[in-house]
């Protein structure tokens, strides 16, 4: 069955990029500094990454290593100090609907809007007609299993349900890249596991390109097809790991444990470097 709501890919750009064999997202020698009143803090130092169409790309590192800063720069929310970020061959300079973001916080949904309105609102803001926005919003609300809650307000939902709404809202925009900043970190362990599984199911259906920030090694191995391990403060690219062979059934396997150990060593060694 064809899916009319498959993530939209501008054909000419995608074809051109694919023809040139270029990654969808190119991060080149990017550094990010924050200016404080008396000094500058370097959060990210000369990181280069290639993210290809359909990748589930993980930015993994200890707290404070600059993962969120890098994600925000990809989103166009903060500037880089040096280097460049290109999406489909175009320089990222500001935020845009081609990069939808899901955050960790449960309060990312305007509380005065229903679930349906929360998902439809950004679509309307990007010029989608009212009826199409309503239909598309409801389709994605169904996809995340919240059809019965379309008229509920955020305060009537659990943390996991709010994150599902945030995911539906982001996917409904049909972005070129879905950016997720530790979206499950504030959930209890069981809900987190369920959400990870659901995210993989959504990916299997829509094959979106995902850039996902986490500090949890098991989450990175489960969700990622590729993992960029970042060293601590300022974040530098320490290693890139292929994680495409793992899924939920592998968690107890020797291969999964070995990969966990290897990443642990990378993080541990660098912490003492
Ligand atoms: N707005 C800001 N102003 C000044 N410094 C900042 C700002 N945001 C982040 N930083 C600093 O930049 C560094 C990287 O922060 P960032 O939040 O990107 O790291 P992170 O790896 O995502 O951390 P966490 O996992 O704890 O969220 C930290 O030292 C942090 O204190």
């Amino acid at each position: 069955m064809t899916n009319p709501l498959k993530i939209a890919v501008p054909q000419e750009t995608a074809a051109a990029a694919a023809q040139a064999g270029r990654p969808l997202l190119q991060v080149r020698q990017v550094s990010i500094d924050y200016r404080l009143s008396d000094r500058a803090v370097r959060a990210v130092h000369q990181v280069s990454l290639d993210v290809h169409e359909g990748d589930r790309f993980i930015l993994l590192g200890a707290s404070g290593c600059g993962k969120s800063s890098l994600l925000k720069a990809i989103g166009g929310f903060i500037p880089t100090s040096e280097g460049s970020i290109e999406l489909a061959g175009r320089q990222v300079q500001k935020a845009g609907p081609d990069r939808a973001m899901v955050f960790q916080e449960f309060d990312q949904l305007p509380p005065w809007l229903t679930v349906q309105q929360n998902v439809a609102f950004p679509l309307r803001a990007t010029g989608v007609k009212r009826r199409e926005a309503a239909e598309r919003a409801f389709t994605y609300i169904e996809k995340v299993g919240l059809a019965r809650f379309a008229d509920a307000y955020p305060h009537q939902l659990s943390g996991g349900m709010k994150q599902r709404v945030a995911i539906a809202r982001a996917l409904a925009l049909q972005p070129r890249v879905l950016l997720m900043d530790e979206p499950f970190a504030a959930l209890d362990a069981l809900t987190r596991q369920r959400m990870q599984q659901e995210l993989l199911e959504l990916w299997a259906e829509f094959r979106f390109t995902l850039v996902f920030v986490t500090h949890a090694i098991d989450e990175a191995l489960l969700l990622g097809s590729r993992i960029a391990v970042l060293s601590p403060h300022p974040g530098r690219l320490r290693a890139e790991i292929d994680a495409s062979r793992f899924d939920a059934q592998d968690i107890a396997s020797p291969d999964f444990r070995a990969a966990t150990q290897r990443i642990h060593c990378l993080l541990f060694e660098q912490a003492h470097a």
Side-chain angles (χ1 to χ4, degrees), residues 34-36 41-44 61-70 72 181-182 213 215 233:
Y34 291 103
R35 294 190 197 296
L36 306 180
V41 175
R42 173 144 293 200
V44 174
S63 180
C65 78
K67 312 177 289 293
S68 295
S69 299
L70 192 52
K72 284 181 195 151
D181 193 355
E182 306 211 44
V213 161
H215 62 264
H233 204 59

Side-chain angles (χ1 to χ4, degrees), residues 3-9 140 174 205-207:
N3 176 3
L5 288 168
K6 200 166 168 19
I7 300 296
V9 177
Y140 282 92
Q174 300 180 333
E205 181 169 0
F206 295 111
R207 302 277 162 170

Side-chain angles (χ1 to χ4, degrees), residues 143-217:
K143 290 287 174 203
V144 297
L146 289 179
R148 285 193 305 122
F149 295 87
D151 296 325
Y153 287 89
H155 76 271
Q156 298 171 309
L157 307 176
S158 68
M161 290 159 89
K162 285 181 200 168
Q163 293 311 79
R164 285 192 186 95
V165 178
I167 292 169
R169 180 176 66 172
L171 286 179
L173 280 167
Q174 300 180 333
R176 299 300 303 269
V177 185
L178 174 60
L179 307 174
M180 302 185 95
D181 193 355
E182 306 211 44
F184 310 143
L187 299 170
D188 64 86
L190 281 178
T191 310
R192 188 181 321 137
Q193 267 179 21
R194 191 163 354 116
M195 296 291 294
Q196 289 166 347
Q197 204 48 46
E198 287 177 17
L199 182 64
L200 286 174
E201 284 164 15
L202 286 167
W203 182 86
E205 181 169 0
F206 295 111
R207 302 277 162 170
F208 43 82
T209 306
L210 175 66
V211 182
F212 188 104
V213 161
T214 184
H215 62 264
I217 300 175

Side-chain angles (χ1 to χ4, degrees), residues 53-271:
E53 198 113 38
D55 270 351
R56 300 185 311 276
F57 195 94
I58 310 289
L59 297 173
L60 173 70
S63 180
C65 78
K67 312 177 289 293
S68 295
S69 299
L70 192 52
L71 198 73
K72 284 181 195 151
I74 293 169
F77 298 110
I78 60 170
T80 58
S81 312
E82 57 179 350
S84 68
I85 300 176
E86 281 187 12
L87 180 64
R90 291 219 184 98
Q91 195 83 24
V92 166
Q93 274 158 346
K94 56 181 174 137
D98 53 356
R99 283 147 292 142
M101 190 109 165
V102 176
F103 299 92
Q104 177 184 146
E105 294 77 20
F106 296 154
D107 61 1
Q108 62 193 296
L109 307 170
W112 58 89
L113 298 178
T114 64
V115 166
Q116 168 75 25
Q117 290 163 342
N118 255 291
V119 179
F121 180 74
L123 293 174
R124 294 282 293 140
T126 59
V128 177
K129 298 235 163 25
R130 185 183 302 275
R131 194 169 155 185
E132 191 196 331
E135 283 173 7
R136 211 201 284 180
F138 191 72
T139 300
Y140 282 92
I141 290 166
E142 270 188 317
K143 290 287 174 203
V144 297
L146 289 179
R148 285 193 305 122
F149 295 87
D151 296 325
Y153 287 89
H155 76 271
Q156 298 171 309
L157 307 176
S158 68
M161 290 159 89
K162 285 181 200 168
Q163 293 311 79
R164 285 192 186 95
V165 178
I167 292 169
R169 180 176 66 172
L171 286 179
L173 280 167
Q174 300 180 333
R176 299 300 303 269
V177 185
L178 174 60
L179 307 174
M180 302 185 95
D181 193 355
E182 306 211 44
F184 310 143
L187 299 170
D188 64 86
L190 281 178
T191 310
R192 188 181 321 137
Q193 267 179 21
R194 191 163 354 116
M195 296 291 294
Q196 289 166 347
Q197 204 48 46
E198 287 177 17
L199 182 64
L200 286 174
E201 284 164 15
L202 286 167
W203 182 86
E205 181 169 0
F206 295 111
R207 302 277 162 170
F208 43 82
T209 306
L210 175 66
V211 182
F212 188 104
V213 161
T214 184
H215 62 264
I217 300 175
D218 58 344
E219 182 167 68
L221 285 169
L222 266 180
L223 290 183
S225 55
R226 292 166 61 216
I227 302 173
V229 181
L230 297 175
S231 68
H233 204 59
R236 299 165 201 254
L237 184 62
R238 172 83 179 183
E240 247 197 66
I241 290 170
D242 175 9
S244 53
R245 63 192 182 282
F246 297 119
D247 62 32
Q249 280 76 52
D250 299 317
I251 259 186
S253 75
D255 195 15
F256 192 93
R257 283 208 302 271
T260 304
Q261 189 60 33
R262 184 173 161 225
I263 295 175
H264 196 275
C265 284
L266 285 166
L267 292 169
F268 184 76
E269 278 166 20
Q270 66 208 19

